Amino acid sequence: MARRNPRPEATHKMTFTPLKEQCEQCGQPLWVAHHSHRTVTTLSGLWKLTLVVRQCIEPTCPRYHHPYRPEEEGGWALPHGEFGWEVIALIGQWRFREQRSVPEMHQMLLTRGMSLAERSVTYLMQRSEELVALRITDHQRITARLQKQGHVILALDGLQPDVGHEVLWVLRDCLSEEILLARPLLSQTQGDLTALLKAVKELLKELAVPVKGVISDGEEPIRSAVAFVFPEVPPQLCQFHYLKDAIAPLYEADRHAKTPLKKHLRGVRPIERALEERSTPENEAIRGSCLAVRASLTDDGRSPLQPSGLKLSDRITQVSTSIARVEEKKDCHLL
């Protein structure tokens, strides 16, 4: 589909020239053939790039009329891309770290002053996935890094997005944080996990990189599979799972303690309705405090290091302290 609205004018301009001035085949000087133009959207604004393209004019040269483009062009965006690398990286972070939806990311980019369609956000998210996949499957880079490292500490865990769906099992090295194998499985039997571990063992054997340790949770199929494939390697329980299991009683007590605290904060909505009739600076300040309270009520925290009850108590204390400071300033002004 063609663009319906004209693209806004670029706010920044820059010109790039190739560093090579002589042909790498015949050594003859490179002549300027033409100037290419492209517009790239970055987080800092809209840039118009002028690219000086050079060519070899020696007819007998194997690179005759072969274009030499500026080396810096690739550091701005993908070939034929309209958005810079930093935009793709930001969308990938929002999507896979913060679990943002496409409409949410579109609105967040619009607030940053960018002009793009929601469909473009989907395309950029797909480009981010492709770039991550290329980096993960770059076996030469992973091989060189692991061999230089000398050994690996293997970590095994499964990710299940929804109940009843396939579980994505990921095996990675804890030292380099490189993913060695990722495969979806319908079940987590000892036989399936053994096949995964054997595949990683064969891969590391070809690279001549030994496994010095294996980290996993305490599920019996995982522990049995690890003991079968790596009998000589000491296993270790994941510190996060261990801490989560150890703190479970305290986390439940904190969650139950949050219930009576929420009962004292149920009168927020009537106050907001009463403030809708008039718009004054005082009402706006009170409405902001009510919004802070409601946001605190909906934040349940995450186990084990973010107890929801303590977090709610801290936030309500901050709101109360803020209101007390406003009252003190108001009394001092009246005096």
Side-chain angles (χ1 to χ4, degrees):
M1 181 183 294
R3 184 188 298 273
R4 295 183 178 181
N5 299 322
R7 194 170 191 179
E9 294 292 334
T11 56
H12 309 279
K13 296 181 180 180
M14 187 169 291
T15 302
F16 294 118
T17 304
L19 298 178
K20 293 182 179 180
E21 298 181 353
Q22 295 180 339
C23 179
E24 59 185 19
Q25 289 287 335
C26 64
Q28 296 294 326
L30 297 174
W31 290 64
V32 176
H34 62 276
H35 290 73
S36 178
H37 303 277
R38 62 183 300 187
T39 303
V40 178
T41 301
T42 66
L43 298 179
S44 60
L46 194 61
W47 290 77
K48 182 179 180 180
L49 306 181
T50 300
L51 309 172
V52 179
V53 182
R54 291 174 171 170
Q55 290 181 355
C56 179
I57 61 173
E58 177 61 40
T60 60
C61 179
R63 301 183 68 85
Y64 175 65
H65 277 191
H66 182 84
Y68 286 85
R69 302 180 68 88
E71 293 81 1
E72 295 179 88
E73 180 185 4
W76 281 76
L78 288 168
H80 310 290
E82 297 182 357
F83 296 90
W85 292 104
E86 52 189 9
V87 180
I88 299 177
L90 182 61
I91 290 178
Q93 176 183 345
W94 283 345
R95 176 58 178 170
F96 300 106
R97 178 177 295 181
E98 303 180 13
Q99 304 298 318
R100 302 282 186 177
S101 64
V102 172
E104 287 179 333
M105 294 187 290
H106 181 234
Q107 291 299 322
M108 294 169 69
L109 292 175
L110 292 179
T111 57
R112 287 174 172 258
M114 295 186 185
S115 177
L116 76 168
E118 186 173 308
R119 180 181 56 185
S120 299
V121 179
T122 302
Y123 291 158
L124 293 175
M125 184 178 65
Q126 294 172 353
R127 299 293 85 75
S128 175
E129 295 175 352
E130 293 171 355
L131 293 172
V132 172
L134 286 174
R135 179 172 177 82
I136 293 176
T137 56
D138 188 356
H139 297 292
Q140 293 182 353
R141 179 186 60 83
I142 296 176
T143 299
R145 186 169 185 180
L146 295 182
Q147 290 179 346
K148 182 180 179 180
Q149 184 174 285
H151 62 275
V152 301
I153 297 180
L154 196 63
L156 171 66
D157 199 3
L159 307 174
Q160 187 174 21
D162 297 309
V163 178
H165 288 71
E166 293 180 338
V167 179
L168 178 62
W169 287 92
V170 179
L171 292 93
R172 66 184 185 91
D173 174 35
C174 296
L175 301 179
S176 63
E177 298 184 355
E178 295 287 351
I179 296 178
L180 305 179
L181 179 65
R183 187 176 300 172
L185 297 176
L186 288 174
S187 61
Q188 54 179 4
T189 61
Q190 179 180 347
D192 295 334
L193 299 179
T194 299
L196 291 180
L197 292 172
K198 285 184 177 179
V200 173
K201 186 176 182 180
E202 291 297 326
L203 173 64
L204 296 176
K205 185 177 180 180
E206 294 178 0
L207 303 179
V209 179
V211 179
K212 294 296 185 179
V214 180
I215 299 177
S216 65
D217 57 22
E219 296 183 10
E220 183 60 31
I222 299 179
R223 297 172 62 182
S224 301
V226 170
F228 180 79
V229 179
F230 299 100
E232 72 285 354
V233 177
Q236 178 180 332
L237 185 65
C238 175
Q239 292 92 341
F240 180 81
H241 289 86
Y242 181 83
L243 180 60
K244 187 175 181 180
D245 294 340
I247 206 172
L250 295 177
Y251 192 81
E252 287 297 319
D254 175 84
R255 188 171 63 86
H256 288 293
K258 181 180 178 181
T259 302
L261 185 59
K262 294 172 63 175
K263 293 181 180 179
H264 298 284
L265 304 173
R266 291 180 176 177
V268 175
R269 188 54 185 163
I271 297 176
E272 291 180 325
R273 291 195 182 100
L275 298 175
E276 294 176 354
E277 300 177 357
R278 294 184 302 171
S279 178
T280 62
E282 291 81 4
N283 289 353
E284 291 298 328
I286 298 174
R287 189 177 291 109
S289 299
C290 294
L291 180 61
V293 172
R294 286 201 292 111
S296 302
L297 293 175
T298 56
D299 191 353
D300 293 332
R302 297 184 63 184
S303 176
L305 301 178
Q306 297 179 358
S308 57
L310 292 178
K311 182 181 291 187
L312 176 60
S313 178
D314 292 340
R315 291 182 175 179
I316 296 303
T317 301
Q318 293 177 4
V319 174
S320 178
T321 304
S322 176
I323 296 175
R325 287 198 302 265
V326 173
E327 291 179 349
E328 291 178 359
K329 293 181 179 179
K330 184 177 182 181
D331 294 339
C332 292
H333 179 71
L334 294 176
L335 292 174

